[in-house]
Amino acid sequence: MNLTPQEIVLVTVAEADNRTIQGRTLLQKRLYFLDVLLGLGLSYRPYYYGPYSPLVDSALGELQALRFLEEHQRDFDAINEEGFQVRRYDAELTKDGEVVVGLLKRRKPSDYRAMAKGLQGLQTAKEPDYATLSIAAKIHYILTRQAASMTVEEIQKVGKELNWKIEDRAHRLQKAIAFLERLDLVKQGS
Amino acid sequence: MAGREIRDPIHGFIRLEDGEVKIIDNPIFQRLRRIKQLAFAHLVYPGALHTRFDHSLGAGYVAASMGRALGLGDGEERRWLRRAALLHDLGHGPFSHVSENLLARFAEPTIIEGHGLEEIHELITMQLIKGLSFLEELDRERIIGLLLSEDKAKRPRMVKFLKVHDWPPDPLLKQIISGPLDADKQDYLLRDSYFCGVKYGVFDIARLHNTLETDSEPHEGNILAISEDGVHAVEQYVMAKYYMNTQVYRHRVRRITDAMLTRAMTLGIEMDRIPFLKDLYTYDGSDKFLQNYVEWDDERVTREILQTTGKACELFKRLRERRLFKQIYSKNLNQLEVNIREALSKLSQTQKGELEKKVGETLGFDPLQVMVDVYRIKSAREQVEGSEGRIRVKGKENFQKESALFSSIDIAMQDQYVEIYAPAEYTSEKDKQEKRTRWNGEVERIFEDTLKGDGP
């Protein structure tokens, strides 16, 4: 794969529904799995909300500076656990961004196809909502780092040590594991 | 001998222990007195004559102060910490960062292979530390361990190349040496600000150190954090970084002097074939290279180049007399057509050369004296949480979430620019406006012809 982080982010937004990614968490976590599946070299590290790539974040900023993407802030009435109003930044492809995506398709057709196929693969595996996807990324990161079989409780314990919330609210934990199974990234034992 | 005290304009008296005195008295370290911290920035800010020597002493002092604030004892860890900070810039070449670009460009390709270009000056620093035989071998390896990149791809390559034992550093010490709140940045912001005579880089360092904490990270141990009370001090520090970048480090005339300097040295190697310049920048990892490298500094390079007669000498004369090139074109990339914007954002060295040639030929300048400069101003967010990670607030969210200031502004905003410099002369403001308007059109036609490529 010969794509820069900027090109990877651009393709990911271009291939999303309505050419928009709803929130930075969704972008980070979707690309986490794409990085796992395609080896994109995005250097994910553990951070507050799970694995995080500074390269993706920086690329997002550069693409905005070039006006190929626009971020729209959306404030929700809900209040999060920390007492702040829930705020989301949606990344949307601009008209100029569409032109650049067109150029990319012509210049690097096989890389573009591989990315699009990878993203399609996540949809085929029924990619869950961003919160569940985030839990799936945390679980996968912990399992990969421990390189051993773990029970859900053990994963939650390590998650707690990392200050990561891996709670089973709204059955998210099971949904996350099911998603990882569909991607063939984990196997549940008896 | 009972150490030494040095009076520093930023931190007051800096006390050095015997072992540290030996380090600074070494000719390789003393050479840093002759390498200015900001190259030719004194052509913009006349006070900016401070050197890597002052900054290295300052970084050592700040690291020690951070260690004290965090309750580190007087043991070997504190010794490694101070010495690593003191030695972190030992491999800097003449004119500081300008040498980094030249080393990356002219190093032996077989050495570069497998190494990121930015690593060459880091490798030189480690090799020089490795060669400080008056230090205990364990001390040298621990200091190198603290200074080495943490990057999983880079670190093993560098350890292998340096033939040292890899001592994974304590994360807390590592973050004091290299991280979003490291001693290097704290010192250079205050120092550069003071010597440039600006106030942009000022922050309350005493308060910041007063609020330093450790937080625990599973699998990693203690890491650097601030208390909730330190949020405002960090806000000030982050803003200092942002303003120093926009107002000093990216200052228009400073960019021109750096571009002229880099071009002078490049032409000195490629066109004038000046042997000493070629030897200085063709890094091959050998002891012979290092022995020669440490013999050079700002003054000696300037003096020797002024004794030649070629293109490099011409540019150095201009720099000495402050007959600087002028900005003949400047645009925010987002004001340009999409294909051109995209091409400029990832311009290769060859494409840059092609553009410079066409601009020179069209506008009547020597193409070798035309310089295309594409750069970006990092967003405030990147100043807070760049590639070095985020600033942790103990027991809370990261700094950005805890700061009312930073959570309320669009700190992702950033811009990229393209500028062109050339030896232009203006007779009046009217003449300048007329020429700039004409050149603007010409340059954009050249962009159109050269960069539009396979666009729609």
Side-chain angles (χ1 to χ4, degrees):
Chain A
M1 186 74 70
N2 186 25
L3 294 176
T4 63
Q6 290 84 346
E7 289 169 337
I8 289 167
V9 171
L10 209 53
V11 176
T12 306
V13 179
E15 291 294 309
D17 288 345
N18 300 319
R19 306 201 145 198
T20 303
I21 298 268
Q22 296 181 332
R24 289 177 191 158
T25 307
L26 177 61
L27 178 69
Q28 281 279 350
K29 303 311 179 230
R30 186 172 284 175
L31 278 171
Y32 171 79
F33 284 106
L34 217 56
D35 193 32
V36 168
L37 297 170
L38 303 177
L40 301 172
L42 295 174
S43 307
Y44 273 84
R45 304 169 176 188
Y47 273 122
Y48 272 86
Y49 302 110
Y52 161 89
S53 164
L55 293 177
V56 168
D57 203 44
S58 175
L60 193 59
E62 281 178 42
L63 291 166
Q64 286 179 77
L66 293 165
R67 308 299 187 259
F68 297 157
L69 287 183
E70 272 173 7
E71 263 194 342
H72 302 288
Q73 181 181 312
R74 287 197 61 191
D75 288 323
F76 296 86
D77 289 337
I79 302 292
N80 70 14
E81 288 159 31
E82 288 80 31
F84 290 107
Q85 187 180 26
V86 174
R87 180 178 290 171
R88 192 177 79 194
Y89 293 92
D90 292 352
E92 189 182 337
L93 198 67
T94 62
K95 283 206 159 52
D96 288 350
E98 284 183 28
V99 175
V100 178
V101 168
L103 291 173
L104 194 58
K105 276 182 184 169
R106 270 185 284 167
R107 287 177 190 159
K108 298 181 179 176
S110 59
D111 286 336
Y112 193 98
R113 275 198 302 275
M115 274 287 295
K117 197 177 162 197
L119 288 161
Q120 186 55 47
L122 295 180
Q123 298 314 311
T124 309
K126 296 181 189 150
E127 183 191 75
D129 65 84
Y130 84 94
T132 310
L133 193 64
S134 177
I135 289 176
K138 291 171 192 167
I139 293 172
H140 181 263
Y141 189 88
I142 290 169
L143 282 169
T144 310
R145 192 150 161 172
Q146 300 283 336
S149 298
M150 294 172 82
T151 64
V152 168
E153 290 73 27
E154 285 167 339
I155 293 171
Q156 283 175 314
K157 196 176 161 209
V158 176
K160 208 171 174 185
E161 288 173 5
L162 285 161
N163 288 321
W164 288 352
K165 292 189 178 89
I166 308 180
E167 292 166 351
D168 199 14
R169 197 176 294 169
H171 305 293
R172 284 209 171 103
L173 214 153
Q174 279 314 314
K175 286 178 190 167
I177 293 171
F179 174 64
L180 291 171
E181 282 189 306
R182 290 193 294 273
L183 288 177
D184 272 337
L185 293 175
V186 300
K187 200 188 280 179
Q188 284 205 84
S190 54
Chain B
M1 223 169 36
R4 191 180 295 168
E5 278 190 331
I6 298 177
R7 194 189 270 275
D8 175 67
I10 308 302
H11 307 297
F13 282 106
I14 294 180
R15 286 192 179 80
L16 298 166
E17 295 163 359
D18 288 350
E20 293 162 352
V21 171
K22 270 190 188 169
I23 291 175
I24 67 157
D25 281 349
N26 187 281
I28 300 175
F29 195 92
Q30 285 292 319
R31 155 187 164 276
L32 299 177
R33 285 186 189 273
R34 301 186 300 275
I35 296 176
K36 287 188 200 72
Q37 175 79 2
L38 297 175
F40 273 90
H42 59 279
L43 296 183
V44 185
Y45 303 103
L49 293 163
H50 56 307
T51 67
R52 291 276 150 190
F53 179 87
D54 329 0
H55 165 58
S56 299
L57 288 179
Y61 174 87
V62 174
S65 165
M66 291 173 78
R68 258 197 315 278
L70 292 163
L72 290 180
D74 280 339
E76 51 191 12
E77 287 202 325
R78 187 173 152 271
R79 185 171 77 235
W80 296 327
L81 178 68
R82 280 179 65 118
R83 293 181 182 189
L86 203 55
L87 290 165
H88 79 284
D89 270 351
L90 195 64
H92 262 287
F95 308 110
S96 293
H97 294 293
V98 169
S99 274
E100 286 174 34
N101 302 332
L102 295 163
L103 284 165
R105 185 162 175 168
F106 294 108
E108 280 291 341
T110 49
I111 296 292
I112 288 181
E113 203 173 342
H115 287 278
L117 300 181
E118 77 285 3
E119 288 169 32
I120 303 294
H121 81 281
E122 291 174 27
L123 283 176
I124 293 175
T125 297
M126 313 293 172
Q127 283 184 291
L128 292 175
I129 294 171
K130 209 180 154 210
L132 298 177
S133 53
F134 58 87
L135 294 176
E136 297 282 336
E137 188 179 348
L138 178 66
D139 279 7
R140 276 180 275 160
E141 291 208 341
R142 291 292 197 168
I143 293 166
I144 290 172
L146 273 173
L147 291 172
L148 276 176
S149 166
E150 273 188 294
D151 190 299
K152 286 192 183 89
K154 279 188 194 174
R155 191 173 176 102
R157 280 199 312 253
M158 294 176 91
V159 165
K160 194 175 163 197
F161 179 82
L162 293 164
K163 298 192 185 86
V164 289
H165 181 85
D166 189 11
W167 301 93
D170 175 282
L172 181 64
L173 300 186
K174 179 70 190 167
Q175 285 174 318
I176 295 174
I177 296 298
S178 171
L181 271 181
D182 64 32
D184 175 31
K185 291 186 196 73
Q186 289 184 38
D187 183 76
Y188 76 61
L189 288 172
L190 293 173
R191 193 169 299 277
D192 294 347
S193 196
Y194 176 86
F195 282 99
C196 288
V198 300
K199 302 291 178 207
Y200 299 113
V202 177
F203 62 95
D204 190 345
I205 189 169
R207 178 64 179 147
L208 183 63
H209 289 195
N210 188 246
T211 61
L212 289 179
E213 294 272 1
T214 55
D215 207 352
S216 61
E217 181 78 69
H219 312 290
E220 287 188 21
N222 283 341
I223 59 159
L224 186 64
I226 53 160
S227 71
E228 222 177 323
D229 292 340
V231 168
H232 297 306
V234 175
E235 283 173 352
Q236 208 186 8
Y237 163 81
V238 173
M239 292 311 287
K241 268 169 74 180
Y242 181 72
Y243 286 134
M244 283 300 278
N245 264 310
T246 54
Q247 304 301 314
V248 175
Y249 306 133
R250 302 285 187 174
H251 185 284
R252 175 178 52 86
V253 181
R254 183 175 136 71
R255 292 196 68 79
I256 292 175
T257 59
D258 270 6
M260 289 175 72
L261 198 50
T262 307
R263 179 60 57 90
M265 311 271 245
T266 305
L267 291 175
I269 295 171
E270 291 181 339
M271 301 272 300
D272 305 339
R273 311 256 173 215
I274 300 173
F276 79 79
L277 273 183
K278 185 170 179 288
D279 293 344
L280 180 59
Y281 291 113
T282 314
Y283 174 73
D284 61 3
S286 69
D287 288 344
K288 192 179 161 210
F289 173 88
L290 293 174
Q291 280 158 15
N292 175 59
Y293 185 79
V294 297
E295 293 298 319
W296 292 89
D297 52 54
D298 296 4
E299 294 164 21
R300 186 171 170 205
V301 168
T302 306
R303 194 174 58 239
E304 300 274 345
I305 287 182
L306 286 172
Q307 282 170 13
T308 63
T309 51
K311 298 276 181 194
C313 177
E314 203 180 315
L315 285 172
F316 263 82
K317 274 185 183 156
R318 273 184 163 270
L319 282 165
R320 191 178 57 169
E321 294 159 12
R322 206 188 180 283
R323 287 184 295 115
L324 303 180
F325 287 1
K326 303 274 193 314
Q327 187 189 68
I328 61 163
Y329 177 84
S330 173
K331 269 272 160 81
N332 186 320
L333 285 198
N334 68 44
Q335 292 176 294
L336 295 167
E337 203 205 318
V338 57
N339 307 61
I340 292 166
R341 195 185 321 156
E342 193 258 352
L344 283 171
S345 73
K346 50 182 186 190
L347 206 60
S348 69
Q349 203 61 43
T350 316
Q351 286 173 312
K352 200 180 267 189
E354 204 181 322
L355 276 181
E356 287 167 348
K357 187 166 179 280
K358 285 189 184 170
V359 170
E361 285 167 356
T362 311
L363 306 187
F365 298 113
D366 175 355
L368 296 174
Q369 295 194 339
V370 174
M371 297 153 197
V372 173
D373 184 18
V374 182
Y375 67 96
R376 100 187 148 96
I377 302 271
K378 280 185 181 179
S379 65
R381 180 165 56 171
E382 276 184 274
Q383 312 285 343
V384 183
E385 50 177 57
S387 56
E388 292 171 321
R390 294 178 176 180
I391 297 168
R392 174 83 68 105
V393 181
K394 188 171 183 173
K396 291 290 215 171
E397 286 285 343
N398 58 60
F399 160 74
Q400 193 191 321
K401 289 270 181 181
E402 294 302 319
S403 161
L405 175 66
F406 280 83
S407 62
S408 64
I409 58 173
D410 185 1
I411 57 172
M413 273 302 288
Q414 56 166 288
D415 281 304
Q416 290 201 25
Y417 299 88
V418 54
E419 295 185 345
I420 302 180
Y421 319 128
E425 301 291 342
Y426 305 119
T427 54
S428 63
E429 190 55 33
K430 186 168 171 271
D431 177 53
K432 180 179 169 181
Q433 293 307 327
E434 282 172 2
K435 281 179 176 162
R436 286 288 296 259
T437 306
R438 179 159 45 85
W439 290 340
N440 205 63
E442 300 272 17
V443 167
E444 285 178 13
R445 261 189 294 281
I446 292 168
F447 284 166
E448 188 93 5
D449 295 344
T450 316
L451 301 172
K452 204 157 179 189
D454 56 358

